[in-house]
Structures are given as structure tokens and as C-alpha cells.
Amino acid sequence: MTSEHKVLHGIGVCAGTASGPVAFVAEAPGVDEAEPKCTDVDAAVAKLDEARDAVVAQLKARADKATDEKSKGVLGATAQMAADKGLYKNIVKRLKAGDGMTHAVAGAASDYAAKLAKLGGYFAERVTDVNDVRDRLIAQLRGLPAPGVPDITTPVIVVARDLAPAETATLHPGSVLGIITQEGGPTSHTAILAAQLGIPCSVKTKGALDAIAPDDTVALDGGVGEVIVSPTDEEVSQLKDRAERRARALAGSSGQGSTRDGHRVALLANIGTVDDALNAAKFDLEGSGLFRSEFLFLGRDEAPTVEEQTDTYTKVLNAFGKDRHVVVRTLDAGADKPLKFANQEHEDNPALGVRGLRLGMRRVDLLDTQLQALANAYKATGGDLWVMAPMVSTVDEAEWFATKARSYGLPKVGVMVEVPAAAIRSAQILSVVDFCSIGTNDLSQYTMAADRLNGELANLLTPWQPAVLHMIKAACDGGAATGKHVGVCGEAGGDPLMALVLAGLGVQSLSMAPTKVNAVRAALRLHDFSTCQQMAAYALDARTAEDARKAVIALADPTLLDLL
């Protein structure tokens, strides 16, 4: 039985429209409330071993079937989490204390997830992996179907409370028309992967699981986050018309990024692996504004060697050739178990502790190895290589990094602007480096004191918050004062409307998921630079984030709405 007609609202994170039947992601079964206490530890451990081996095997099998290296990597990382010794030991400890099987798994996973969440950044993002492993182990122990996306035989719109990375990585645009999640946020793993895949997606869609039934047809606008349950023929037709208007607006979007009157804004891709680089290089864009080098380091017992890193950086530079530049961010990690070779002492709040460049300044051996590998790749390719350090807060830190990086003969040295201190002091920091790149995701969470992974705080985490815009302006003012390049590599750069504001504030390059470049390029070409500057001024003076966005839309060419 289909549901009555209704309209739901979420956060649109990947533009595009879709309509079709739904497929629900199976919910996790939860602990067995009726299970007995553990009285035979040996038998319980044997059962745990059997379940763990089965889950690892299932994940590895899915990784083998994955069609691209990024999906294989995500699934492999989740399989590695399932085999994690620390998690396993905690489960056994709880069994010995008398916990029932599923309660032991849930308790141990909760402990581990809390530790990761406390660390923040990449490690907090792995909480979803831990929860995914927990749910799969419990389902295996209870003899129930594994949670997750069902086998898809016809094109569908996937509906879920949230999607684990292992699930999102297996989705394919050919079979998944769209994604709707009830939880999550604009910078969640689901949102980022959906953007990379080009699948229309709405996250934090309130009431989605209650409002949508298995037999329903839904229509989705991934640009504005609108979901229509049991849409009328007219509404479906309107969505198709919108898709056609979007296609027309994108037609002819090619070449360098610039406003209508020729003000240049370079359009670049965010990447994390060699495969990402090879894929992005096929797009009509101007290089990579962010290569997340930490993916080389994570999930390993030992740091990658100079030779391994040189090989990776060389392949990335070769992918883009000598005419397109590549910005590599040095290791952005902190004191946590996934980096077994770089553990730090216990920190009460590691998210604000030894992470990013602070870790590099303590483990100079890791940074030296990375810089040497980057220098080797630069010499081997002659590519346009830029190197930047993450989580820089002071002029001294920036100068320390610049001196070290330049000692290896690296041609362009910069820093990330992710904390208010760096934005406010950008002129001083840029006086000792060649460029900076604004990470809007972290800058938003540090400015607004709101965890970027907490969907309940999504209204605070939007870059439309006037306070965040003022931080971006401060960084751009520093660039103007010193004549240095200021870019953006956070998710804000891929929003066609926000791109206009960023250009007006003085941002000179925008880096994003490759699938978003055409829309951003088209948006820029619809407006002259003076309009972008006026948009920026209105957004800065707005009372709220919503008011800022409305003020900019009011100034925008109406065609732009078809790109959102």
C-alpha cells in the first residue's frame, strides 16, 4: 500500500533530480535483549571468532566485486576494522565479565566509537565503520540478515537512516537513481561519496523512514533536498523539466573557470588516491586543489616508505601533466590507534591536540620522509606541485614548515586555513608562505563550536553562517594584502551559489568533487565579478545563514536556480 502524498525536506548535497521506486537499507537488528549471561567463555569466544571471520570474509568478498579502487579501499578498511585486535580484546573482556554475546559486541563497539569520536577529524568519521562492524557482527551472531543495501535489480532510490561507508562505496549511478537518508550531514561520508558519484542525494531528511513505505514511488531534488512521496504526474514532469533545464544550463560549460567578465577562478578537484587522480584528470578542470595524502598512511602498521610515496605522488602528478597543478596536503592525522606507528601520549581532547602539522613537528621523521618523496616526484615529473601543511595556527608553525619544505627544493609551499587563528592572522602567515587553502568544513566547525559529524548541528555547520563568511573574508584579506593565492578546498567550493560568494570575497580557486565542476563553472559565467562582490557583501551583512542565502539568490541570474 502506497503512502499519501507529502513533501519532506532535507539537506541537498548533490544536485540533480530523480524519481522512481524505493529500496530500503535493512536496519541493524540490535542486541538480543533475551540473551543469557556468558557462562562459558571458551564457547562464546569460539562463536565470536566464527562470526568475526564470516563478517571479514563477507566484506572482503564485496571488496573483490567492487568496480573501482576507491570502493575497494573503503570496503577493505571496514574489513580491517572488523578484524581489529583492540575491538576484539574488548569484546572478549566483556564476555569474561559475564556480558551476553551481542551485549559484549555492542558495549565494546560503543567504547571504541567514543574514543574515535573524541579524536575528531578523520578518526571521528570512522565511527560509522565501527557501527557497521558492530551491526554485522550482531546480525551474524543472531543468525539474521546482514544490515545494508539489498541486491538491486532495477533502478531505485535508496532510503536509509544513514549509510555506512561500506554501503555507500558499493552504490552505482547506473542502478541507484538517488539517495535519501534520515540522518547525516552535508560533510558526512555519504554526502561526499554521493557527490563524487554524481548521485542526487538528500541527507538529514526529517521523517523519511516514517513517511516512506516500501511500495512507494518518490521524487527527489538533490539540489535543495526536497523529497516528494507519491508524487503526482505533474510533479514528476516538473522534475524532468528541471533536469532538462539543468542540462541546458550546463551545456557548453567547458574551459577555465571565470566570471562573465573574465575574472579568473580556477576550478580544481579534491582527490585522495591515484585512482581518484586518474578519474579526475579526465574531467575538464584545471588540476587538483587537494590531494589528501593521509590515505597512504591510514590502516597500516608502519609508515609508507619513501619509495612507496614517491611512486604514488609521481603517478598523481603524471595524471594531471605539467599544465595542471596539484596541491598535496601533508599527513593530516593525530594520536590514535589507526596510526600505530605514530601514537602519541593520551590526550583528553585530541581533536584540539597533537594533530596535523603539530604531529609533523613532533614526528619530524614522518614529515621528512614525505617531503623527500614529494621532492623526488617533482624532480621525476617536472609537474606543477604545490605542498601545504594542515591545521596551522601560528606564523611560527607556518614558517617552520615553509623552511623545511623549501629545503627539499619544493617550489610552492602553503598552509591550510582551518582554524579561526589562521584566518585572522592570514596576512602574517601568508607573508612567510606562497599560498593558503581554506578548509571550509573544519573552519565552520571550529568557528561555530559544532561537531561537523553531528547532523543535529547541521544548521550551524553551513558555510552560509555569516560568522564563517567573515572568517573566509579575513583569510582573503590576508591574500590581498600580501599578493598571495587563496583557495578553497572544503565542500563549500562545490556549491554553485556559494561559489559566487567565495569569488566575491576574493577566493582565487575552488576545489571540489569533479562531478560538481561543470555546475560551478556555469554559475560563474552567468555573473560578472561586481555582482559576485555585491553578493558577498550582502551575505556578510546578513543576520542569519538563511537570510544570507536568500539575499544572494535574489541577486542571482534565474538560470542559476536550475544548477542548484
Side-chain angles (χ1 to χ4, degrees), residues 145-167:
V149 180
D151 290 333
I152 297 173
T153 55
T154 58
V156 294
I157 293 176
V158 171
V159 181
R161 184 173 304 279
D162 201 357
L163 282 173
E167 298 299 340

Side-chain angles (χ1 to χ4, degrees), residues 370-393:
Q370 186 168 27
L371 294 175
Q372 181 62 65
L374 287 163
N376 293 345
Y378 170 62
K379 292 175 184 176
T381 63
D384 189 1
L385 174 63
W386 300 23
V387 180
M388 64 183 178
M391 297 303 294
V392 171
S393 300

Side-chain angles (χ1 to χ4, degrees), residues 171-356:
L171 303 182
H172 190 278
S175 56
V176 178
L177 301 172
I179 300 170
I180 300 168
T181 68
Q182 183 165 289
E183 298 177 358
T187 62
S188 67
H189 194 97
T190 298
I192 293 170
L193 272 180
Q196 289 174 335
L197 294 169
I199 300 175
C201 179
S202 173
V203 300
K204 199 170 176 53
T205 311
K206 294 182 180 179
L209 296 181
D210 293 328
I212 303 173
D215 295 330
D216 283 343
T217 294
V218 300
L220 164 67
D221 186 330
V224 298
E226 183 178 271
V227 176
I228 306 174
V229 183
S230 300
T232 64
D233 290 344
E234 182 180 359
E235 286 170 327
V236 172
S237 177
Q238 289 173 346
L239 271 185
K240 289 181 179 178
D241 288 344
R242 190 179 301 173
E244 290 173 0
R245 291 198 304 272
R246 177 179 170 81
R248 287 196 295 271
L250 290 174
S253 174
S254 62
Q256 294 181 331
S258 65
T259 59
R260 185 167 54 197
D261 53 343
H263 177 80
R264 286 277 289 116
V265 182
L267 302 179
L268 310 163
N270 291 338
I271 59 175
T273 66
V274 171
D275 282 333
D276 284 351
L278 294 171
N279 177 60
K282 298 174 185 176
F283 284 76
D284 183 7
L285 44 77
E286 299 168 65
S288 171
L290 174 64
F291 175 61
R292 302 180 179 94
S293 67
E294 58 268 20
F295 288 108
L296 274 166
F297 294 79
L298 297 169
R300 299 175 57 120
D301 292 330
E302 297 179 352
T305 64
V306 170
E307 291 74 22
E308 288 177 274
Q309 293 189 59
T310 297
D311 180 62
T312 294
Y313 305 141
T314 298
K315 289 175 178 175
V316 169
L317 287 170
N318 280 333
F320 288 99
K322 294 182 180 181
D323 296 330
R324 297 192 282 180
H325 77 258
V326 175
V327 183
V328 177
R329 181 177 68 191
T330 56
L331 178 60
D332 186 14
D336 185 54
K337 192 173 181 181
L339 282 184
K340 296 180 181 179
F341 50 85
N343 277 344
Q344 300 294 308
E345 296 178 0
H346 171 75
E347 294 179 307
D348 290 332
N349 193 350
L352 301 177
V354 182
R355 56 170 300 197

Side-chain angles (χ1 to χ4, degrees), residues 55 57 65 105 115 292 299 305 364 393 415 466-467 479 490 509 512 519 534 542:
V55 169
K65 293 179 182 178
V105 171
K115 291 178 181 178
R292 302 180 179 94
T305 64
V364 180
S393 300
V415 299
S509 66
M512 64 203 78
Q534 187 179 6

